[in-house]
């Protein structure tokens, strides 16, 4: 069973999930399937994944059959396992607990060659809808404190399979970075009685230099202090702490802007590897007044090195004003 | 001039250091010199670096001439610039300051093909001595609050030049990760009146499963909660907060264990890219009772992805007990 271990000096948890039988040098080898290789996420290979949890089947086919347009399955090599208790224990001065959690894969489309941003807007919306459904379902399990949704696209961004997919991990603790973000938002609210994200949106719309695009309900901006070149955040312009409670109309707007921003990044940065992370409230609802869900998209164009590891600072060679300027100018609907 | 910008929500600074003229897609291309290409760090190319700050010249040659065995030069493409004032200013709700700092390169040997761990132990010791000299000198500048020493080896670990070198960055603020480490060590000291690193060393020596090697004054361990496969820390067994104050004998012991651990990693992990970071006290000496300098070596065998970006957790497929077992068994002096 995987273990969650805590560093004794700083508040940092790691998941030790041993992959037995792998030799040390194996970790360095790329693991992305070539298009010629076998893909467990392709149509017809449904039996090669664990049993599906959710699917969209426009032709009415049965579970784990072909004919789907979206599929959610448990990760075959989970970082955390669903069965068991948390069992916190000490080892001398150290602390650990069982690696309990859910680890699911959202297969966003059935065609191996088509990236998320190339899918029809409706399919992007269905992907967001699948995120909502899985969050709502997993929130019922009292062991889980946080549900993280993210996407790794491209080998340099950590994707181990090429076929377009996102991932969801339900965790027995609220991660440190989420706590920091909630704390920062809470402090601002206590002082000003306003949501800090609503304030950021107001300042960015007034300034304009870092705005990439807007639609009716959403805005995409390059943040003032971006860690990565062309880092872009997508935020609802209305205040909403819980992504999973937003309406179908809201999801349509989010899908529209997510697809367009990803297409802009694809064109401007030459099909970059990227990660995106859904920043959402915890399972508890006490953050509703001051937290504001959003998606942070991080193209992987630079490498993290000793400086970042030693400081937590990032060095970014592209200012957000320059990045937004280039992304704004890029036309994705000719 | 580079800018230090602070994220308005979390306590995260970024350095915006624009590299003008680079197109977005350029960031994805590898920049490591091939052995056939030109190398500004090789013997005879001294005029291609900025004027040297420190050098070891066994043959008595003059500054910026050939004949050196170690050279310290300013980074030609610094992340921070040495000239100017800090000038903290606000931009609406945001905060920034000038990117003031020193950024130096320690060229550890004159031969392009020879890695740090392949150099004679004496040369590794001279590298550590050079770190000390530069820290002592830069501490005199009242603008600097922290001096970071680190090494990027291999392209995947962020090295942009192949010729063996480390780097030093003097910063106008104490970075977040350093503050967290100092805080953790201080809390332990306040409660127990003991150094947490001394306690860790005692527990690891008693347990033995995570010890890689020891010599008279130093120990190498795989930490209990490692972020990366084969992550290894080197600590003095005596209590010392300030690396730059340690004796020549201490440096000899540190060089001995650093070289051997890097050689073990090289053999076990098939010449992995790696980073190491010197974790040292700040410029102030108030941490002397509870901080304990050490070197953290992080082989780059896994990729950071959306999960790490969203949580701050790391997923590590190799337990430190297994890693230490393999590293202990590896013989580097046949």
């Amino acid at each position: 069973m995987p273990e969650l271990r805590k560093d004794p000096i700083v508040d940092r948890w790691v998941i030790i999930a041993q992959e037995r039988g792998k030799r040390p040098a194996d970790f360095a080898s790329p693991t992305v399937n070539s298009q010629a290789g076998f893909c467990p996420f392709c149509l017809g290979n449904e039996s090669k994944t664990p049993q599906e949890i959710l699917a969209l089947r426009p032709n009415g086919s049965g579970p784990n059959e072909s004919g789907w347009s979206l599929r959610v399955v448990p990760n075959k090599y989970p970082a955390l396992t669903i069965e068991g208790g948390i069992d916190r224990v000490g080892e001398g001065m150290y602390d650990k607990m069982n690696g309990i959690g859910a680890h699911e894969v959202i297969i966003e489309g059935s065609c191996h060659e088509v990236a998320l941003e190339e899918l029809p807007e409706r399919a992007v919306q269905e992907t967001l809808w699948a995120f909502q459904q899985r969050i709502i379902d997993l929130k019922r399990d009292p062991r889980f404190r946080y549900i993280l949704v993210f996407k790794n696209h491209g080998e340099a961004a950590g994707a181990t399979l090429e076929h377009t997919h996102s991932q969801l991990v339900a965790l027995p603790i609220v991660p440190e970075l989420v706590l920091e973000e909630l704390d920062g938002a809470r402090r601002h609210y206590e002082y000003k009685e306003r949501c800090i994200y609503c304030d950021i949106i107001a300042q960015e719309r007034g300034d304009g230099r870092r705005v990439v695009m807007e639609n009716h309900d959403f805005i995409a901006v390059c943040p003032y202090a971006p860690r990565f070149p062309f880092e872009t955040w997508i935020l609802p312009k209305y205040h909403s702490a819980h992504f999973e409670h937003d309406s179908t109309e809201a999801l349509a707007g989010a899908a529209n802007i997510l697809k367009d921003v990803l297409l802009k990044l694809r064109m401007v940065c030459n099909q970059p590897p990227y990660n995106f992370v859904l920043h959402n409230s915890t399972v508890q609802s006490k953050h509703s007044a001051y937290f504001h869900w959003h998606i942070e998209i991080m193209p992987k164009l630079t490498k993290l090195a000793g400086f970042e590891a030693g400081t937590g600072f990032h060095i970014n060679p592209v200012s957000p004003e320059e990045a937004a300027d280039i992304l704004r100018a890029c036309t994705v609907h000719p």
Side-chain angles (χ1 to χ4, degrees), chain A:
Chain A
M1 177 176 296
E3 278 182 13
L4 276 165
R5 293 189 181 192
K6 189 172 175 299
D7 182 86
I9 304 142
V10 296
D11 200 12
R12 180 175 70 209
W13 289 87
V14 300
I15 299 175
I16 308 289
Q18 289 192 258
E19 297 173 31
R20 299 209 179 266
K22 250 190 163 178
R23 286 161 308 165
D26 291 346
F27 294 106
S29 3
T31 43
V32 172
N33 288 36
S34 76
Q35 293 194 6
F38 173 79
C39 173
F41 294 171
C42 272
L43 274 184
N45 297 339
E46 293 74 17
S47 66
K48 303 302 180 192
T49 66
Q51 299 273 305
E52 74 191 29
I53 300 164
L54 179 70
L56 287 174
R57 301 183 165 277
N59 69 351
S61 53
N64 303 301
E65 290 177 1
S66 193
W68 50 273
S69 60
L70 176 147
R71 239 180 136 224
V72 181
V73 298
N75 192 313
K76 198 169 180 176
Y77 305 100
L80 298 161
T81 47
I82 196 84
E83 309 272 330
I86 288 169
D87 296 342
R88 291 171 181 259
V89 290
E91 281 198 80
M93 65 193 293
Y94 302 136
D95 304 287
K96 69 173 179 180
M97 62 172 93
N98 285 335
I100 299 299
H103 191 168
E104 303 180 355
V105 175
I106 299 95
I107 310 168
E108 301 147 352
S110 59
C111 185
H112 189 93
E113 292 79 13
V114 179
L116 175 61
E117 58 269 24
E118 296 174 304
L119 290 170
E121 209 166 291
R122 166 142 207 103
V124 178
Q125 185 181 339
E126 286 167 351
T127 296
L128 298 177
W129 168 85
F131 296 166
Q132 285 189 322
Q133 299 309 305
R134 296 308 307 139
I135 293 170
I136 290 166
D137 186 39
L138 286 160
K139 277 173 82 167
R140 296 193 192 113
D141 189 320
R143 297 172 304 171
F144 299 146
R145 306 258 175 92
Y146 192 73
I147 297 160
L148 179 79
V149 174
F150 62 97
K151 180 174 172 71
N152 304 334
H153 173 81
E155 191 201 332
T160 50
L161 288 167
E162 204 173 55
H163 193 124
T164 193
H165 68 284
S166 339
Q167 298 180 64
L168 176 153
V169 177
L171 291 159
I173 46 182
V174 181
E176 183 198 352
L177 289 188
V178 175
L179 285 175
E180 281 178 23
E181 200 174 7
L182 291 168
D183 277 357
R186 185 183 41 72
R187 276 196 304 272
H188 186 89
Y189 185 80
E190 281 170 2
Y191 189 49
K192 311 211 184 220
E193 296 193 35
R194 293 195 307 266
C195 162
I196 190 167
Y197 298 93
C198 291
D199 278 3
I200 288 173
I201 292 165
Q203 179 162 340
E204 292 301 345
R205 293 185 78 189
D207 182 315
R209 285 176 297 158
R210 286 174 293 272
V211 175
V212 174
M213 62 177 287
E214 291 188 58
N215 62 23
H216 186 267
D217 280 332
F218 286 84
I219 187 168
V221 297
C222 293
Y224 179 75
R227 292 153 289 182
F228 305 101
F230 297 91
E231 179 174 341
T232 306
W233 295 7
I234 291 173
L235 306 100
K237 291 192 274 189
Y238 55 90
H239 181 76
S240 168
H242 291 274
F243 166 78
E244 69 275 18
H245 295 165
D246 276 12
S247 69
T248 308
E249 294 69 43
L251 285 199
N256 169 266
I257 201 165
L258 177 61
K259 177 179 161 82
D260 279 8
V261 168
L262 291 176
L263 280 175
K264 281 170 179 275
L265 288 169
R266 185 183 180 90
M267 288 178 72
V268 162
C269 304
N270 194 18
Q271 303 199 31
Y274 66 83
N275 302 111
F276 72 63
V277 175
L278 171 64
H279 287 239
N280 196 17
S281 285
T282 69
V283 164
Q284 294 187 313
S285 58
K286 64 179 179 187
H287 319 292
S288 299
Y290 56 81
F291 191 71
H292 191 124
W293 77 261
H294 60 284
I295 294 171
E296 300 189 4
I297 306 168
M298 296 160 285
K300 206 90 170 197
L301 302 168
T302 47
K303 292 193 176 65
L304 298 183
F307 182 77
E308 287 82 3
T311 59
F313 290 11
H314 289 69
I315 301 178
N316 183 346
V318 184
S319 78
E321 295 78 22
E322 186 188 358
D325 213 36
I326 294 170
L327 290 171
R328 231 179 1 250
C330 168
T331 314
V332 292
H333 300 289

